[in-house]
Amino acid sequence: MKCFIDGVYKGVKETKAGSFNDINGNLINYKGSFKIIFDQVINGLPKETELKVDKDIALNISTLCKPYEKIVIQLDITIYGNNNISVKVVSIEKK
C-alpha cells in the first residue's frame, strides 16, 4: 500500500555501526543506519518523527532540503497476517 506524509524537514541522523554485549554476555553487532527527522502535524500539534531511510535517500535529502522546509514522504507499507507492519521510505521530495 502506498502512503504519503506531509511534514517539515528537520534533518538526518546517522547511527554508526557498532557492537555491545547482551545480558548473557553474547556480543551483538549492528549495522550503521540513517534516520530522517521531521515534524508531522497530528490533531493540530507538531509531532517529531524519525523514520529509517536508505543511505542514498538520506544523503540526497540532506543536500536538497534545508531545515524547516516542507516535504512529502512516500511510503510503501506492507501489513502481514501476524500483526506485523513493514514501512519503507520510497522517496522524499520538497513540497
Side-chain angles (χ1 to χ4, degrees), residues 7-55:
V8 177
Y9 175 74
K10 294 182 84 176
V12 173
K13 178 168 69 171
E14 179 182 9
T15 302
K16 302 279 187 188
S19 62
F20 65 93
N21 290 324
D22 66 7
I23 59 173
N24 297 325
N26 298 323
L27 183 65
I28 307 295
N29 295 313
Y30 58 91
K31 297 178 183 178
S33 64
F34 290 87
K35 292 183 180 180
I36 181 172
I37 305 166
F38 64 98
D39 281 341
Q40 58 180 330
V41 178
I42 300 173
N43 296 328
L45 298 171
K47 166 116 173 64
E48 186 172 281
T49 306
E50 295 181 2
L51 287 175
K52 188 182 267 190
V53 295
D54 293 334
K55 182 177 181 178

Side-chain angles (χ1 to χ4, degrees), residues 54-74:
D54 293 334
K55 182 177 181 178
D56 58 334
I57 291 176
L59 296 177
N60 286 337
I61 195 65
S62 63
T63 59
L64 292 176
C65 287
K66 295 178 184 168
Y68 303 107
E69 287 187 326
K70 292 184 179 184
I71 58 172
V72 176
I73 303 170
Q74 181 182 356

Side-chain angles (χ1 to χ4, degrees), residues 68-88:
Y68 303 107
E69 287 187 326
K70 292 184 179 184
I71 58 172
V72 176
I73 303 170
Q74 181 182 356
L75 304 174
D76 187 15
I77 300 174
T78 305
I79 302 172
Y80 300 99
N82 55 358
N83 295 327
N84 287 328
I85 298 174
S86 170
V87 177
K88 179 170 174 48

